[in-house]
Amino acid sequence: LRDAVLIGLARLGTCVYRKRYQTVRVRTRKAVMSTETRLPPGPRLPAAVQGMAFATMQQRVMPAMQRRYGDAFTTAMPGMRRCVIVSDPELVKAVFKAKPDVLHGGVNPLSHVLGPSSMFSLDEARHLSQRRLLLPPFHGERMKSYEAIIEEEALREMATWPEGEEFATFAPMMRITLNAILRAVFGAEDEELDGLRKLLPAMTKLGSRLVMVPALQRDLGRLSPWQRFMRQRAAYDRLVEALIDKGRRDPALEERADVLALLLQATHEDGTPMTDAEITDQLLTLLVAGHETTAGTLAWSVERLRRHPAVLSRLVAEAADGGGAYREATIREVQRTRPVIVGTGRYVAKPFDLGPWRLPPGYMIIIAATTMHLDSRFFARPREFDPGRFLGRKPDTYQWVPFGGGLRRCIGAAFAHMEMDVVLRTMLREFELAPATERPERWRFRGVAFVPSRGGQAMIRRRGYV
Ligand code: HEM
């Protein structure tokens, strides 16, 4: 019913817009010519209606808009400046290759919650300088050293999974990815690990809510969500500062493999070390960026595999033989069909030529992963779940964009891929996953990521069960 109402409103708005558009077209054209701004077409519905439609059913709204207006269209969202949504690889390439002073990551909804030194709060030189410090620990080849930690965390969590009854895998996957990041990235052990394990689930949950409702990101008194978040943040800072202190005093720091140890040894261009505030903000950024996204993709993997028994059987056989090429292709196919981050954004800081259009400063450009990933021009039979399409072939940088791209591409892509590979391999070896006949799970927005609406339901039996 909600969908029908929203579709109705969208259609009504489009009709009203068309009528109004006829009358204002000449005036608009004059204004456009005079400012040298050329915007792609798009609906003129109230921002609230468009925002609601995108938030609740963007998987249908985005492709419908693309069919109606083309590979770039202008839209409006509540609390955001006007947006241009893009779903053409050539335009995507122009966006990802733009200079950082022309297109900013700017005013990310996460930045207020993550702190002023977070990657999501920075632009241009400061962003690039932090990125230069953070990239080496996430280099693809280093990832092998984290596999044992991930497998240990996966086995520990999976030992508690119930047999013979349906259960949601998203929460267990969140525990695996949280513990994996706390150990591999924060280098946390003992009391700090326990303290962060207790604090962070509540803190990231409240943080996601605050991101969804920016009006709550201010101090409205002792019991307000923002003050509660600030208290949690202070507790987080204390725990991470203890880890930093311990690291600085550790005589074996150079031999440690965790990301914190590498950050403690990294230096800015002028030779100065990272400050405590930079490290605490960056570690929280890595956790928030990497924890729910990876868990959501893993929950979607369970949801997809149960509905594609032939793919599942092939993966089980491959895992038993020690192979991994088909699993790697499967992870890419899950991310194509169920990208947890559905759009990557950039703010226009200086007039920007996007194909035939010229966008003025203040506009936001969103790369629509969901639309491109389901476009038959780029992926044959796009609605089919077929990992074979990526077997022995890497996806195109400007068509397959679950990790964004360019100078802000996800730093943790190799970490996430390795982690999903190890967790899936462990799950396939440990359990028989029963196929499902129910309808696919819907997409549910959690403030940062879209995850399966029923949490990626699983039904398992331990292998060797009689
Ligand atoms: C399946 C899992 C993941 C997905 C789908 C994902 C997706 C993304 C996307 C779409 C962006 C924005 C890219 C852009 O603007 O072009 C991003 C940025 C980022 N991600 Fe990930 N991510 C994942 C896992 C991780 C992990 C595991 C980490 C670290 C442990 C991480 C750290 C980051 C950071 C630090 C940024 C900001 C990069 C910058 O601003 O330069 N992500 N991620």
Side-chain angles (χ1 to χ4, degrees):
L1 178 65
R2 182 197 60 193
D3 289 0
V5 170
L6 285 170
I7 289 172
L9 280 172
R11 285 193 181 142
L12 178 71
T14 307
C15 295
V16 171
Y17 163 63
R18 264 194 225 140
K19 277 204 165 153
R20 190 152 25 111
Y21 179 70
Q22 301 297 333
T23 60
V24 297
R25 199 164 55 178
V26 176
R27 194 152 34 103
T28 312
R29 191 179 293 158
K30 274 187 195 154
V32 164
M33 298 296 280
S34 66
T35 57
E36 287 200 31
T37 292
R38 291 182 300 282
L39 293 174
R44 284 286 192 277
L45 289 167
V49 176
Q50 294 194 44
M52 190 156 64
F54 280 110
T56 54
M57 49 178 201
Q58 64 86 28
Q59 289 73 27
R60 267 181 287 161
V61 170
M62 290 277 200
M65 295 284 186
Q66 185 212 22
R67 280 195 298 278
R68 172 78 179 80
Y69 298 106
D71 285 332
F73 59 88
T74 307
T75 176
M77 306 270 178
M80 260 194 216
R81 293 170 252 193
R82 309 239 342 138
C83 301
V84 170
I85 311 242
V86 171
S87 52
D88 168 79
E90 277 308 307
L91 301 181
V92 171
K93 188 172 177 180
V95 172
F96 285 159
K97 286 191 164 258
K99 296 225 163 69
D101 60 331
V102 177
L103 294 187
H104 275 185
V107 211
N108 188 301
L110 288 169
S111 59
H112 205 190
V113 165
L114 295 177
S117 298
S118 159
M119 292 294 281
F120 292 116
S121 310
L122 301 174
D123 266 310
E124 299 189 41
R126 284 198 64 207
H127 170 256
L128 289 181
S129 143
Q130 289 290 315
R131 196 172 159 93
R132 196 183 59 79
L133 297 171
L134 282 184
L135 270 174
F138 287 99
H139 196 271
E141 280 153 28
R142 290 194 52 82
M143 294 305 119
K144 277 250 154 254
S145 62
Y146 301 131
E147 282 195 8
I149 291 180
I150 313 280
E151 191 170 60
E152 212 178 290
E153 289 302 330
L155 282 170
R156 187 163 30 156
E157 182 61 42
M158 287 174 190
T160 66
W161 286 10
E163 285 183 79
E165 62 183 76
E166 285 222 313
F167 65 98
T169 51
F170 179 60
M173 296 300 189
M174 286 280 271
R175 285 192 287 274
I176 295 175
T177 58
L178 173 71
N179 289 332
I181 292 190
L182 289 180
R183 290 181 62 195
V185 177
F186 287 54
E189 294 169 338
D190 312 326
E191 305 101 67
E192 287 95 0
L193 183 59
D194 284 344
L196 287 164
R197 254 189 208 143
K198 279 191 202 115
L199 174 69
L200 285 165
M203 185 173 156
T204 48
K205 193 170 170 190
L206 181 55
S208 293
R209 293 206 177 130
L210 291 167
V211 168
M212 278 210 269
V213 191
L216 292 178
Q217 292 182 19
R218 68 173 78 135
D219 190 352
L220 299 169
R222 239 191 85 68
L223 296 176
S224 66
W226 185 246
Q227 270 228 3
R228 201 151 31 101
F229 183 75
M230 283 293 113
R231 282 195 294 276
Q232 291 173 337
R233 174 71 209 231
Y236 163 85
D237 286 347
R238 277 195 300 278
L239 285 165
V240 175
E241 273 154 21
L243 281 174
I244 293 175
D245 267 2
K246 202 163 147 187
R248 290 216 166 101
R249 284 185 278 107
D250 187 350
L253 184 69
E254 278 176 36
E255 284 123 60
R256 275 172 44 179
D258 55 271
V259 173
L260 171 63
L262 294 161
L263 295 183
L264 286 171
Q265 296 167 76
T267 52
H268 293 285
E269 287 86 343
D270 62 3
T272 54
M274 288 178 84
T275 63
D276 286 11
E278 280 174 335
I279 295 181
T280 44
D281 281 5
Q282 264 1 324
L283 289 184
L284 186 60
T285 302
L286 293 170
L287 182 109
V288 166
H291 157 51
E292 185 169 310
T293 43
T294 314
T297 311
L298 282 165
W300 275 124
S301 305
V302 171
E303 192 272 353
R304 292 290 76 201
L305 294 184
R306 289 191 72 202
R307 284 157 182 85
H308 297 87
V311 175
L312 180 58
S313 309
R314 191 165 165 186
L315 285 171
V316 170
E318 184 191 63
D321 284 352
Y326 192 64
R327 193 165 59 247
E328 189 165 319
T330 304
I331 293 168
R332 294 197 169 119
E333 181 69 342
V334 171
Q335 291 194 280
R336 181 185 74 81
T337 51
R338 296 294 187 275
V340 288
I341 306 286
V342 296
T344 301
R346 298 285 184 274
Y347 283 96
V348 180
K350 290 185 185 160
F352 178 63
D353 291 320
L354 179 72
W357 297 287
R358 190 167 175 78
L359 311 188
Y363 266 68
M364 187 179 191
I365 302 175
I366 296 180
I367 311 280
T370 14
T371 317
M372 290 212 301
H373 290 183
L374 294 180
D375 192 322
S376 58
R377 289 173 297 172
F378 318 131
F379 300 97
R381 298 163 281 97
R383 301 225 164 237
E384 256 175 52
F385 182 76
D386 173 20
R389 71 176 82 239
F390 293 128
L391 205 50
R393 190 172 74 82
K394 284 205 168 160
D396 182 278
T397 316
Y398 303 113
Q399 294 174 355
W400 183 86
V401 288
F403 292 114
L407 287 175
R408 303 195 81 99
R409 185 177 192 266
C410 176
I411 282 177
F415 185 95
H417 190 87
M418 170 277 300
E419 186 172 9
M420 295 189 285
D421 187 56
V422 174
V423 173
L424 287 179
R425 183 184 70 198
T426 311
M427 185 183 79
L428 293 163
R429 283 183 186 163
E430 289 293 302
F431 305 122
E432 285 170 39
L433 187 62
T437 47
E438 302 96 52
R439 283 159 47 130
E441 292 187 38
R442 289 162 169 262
W443 303 58
R444 183 161 65 86
F445 188 48
R446 279 180 50 96
V448 175
F450 276 89
V451 304
S453 56
R454 297 174 58 229
Q457 294 279 314
M459 164 91 96
I460 53 136
R461 252 181 224 299
R462 290 195 155 68
R463 292 203 176 274
Y465 183 89
V466 187

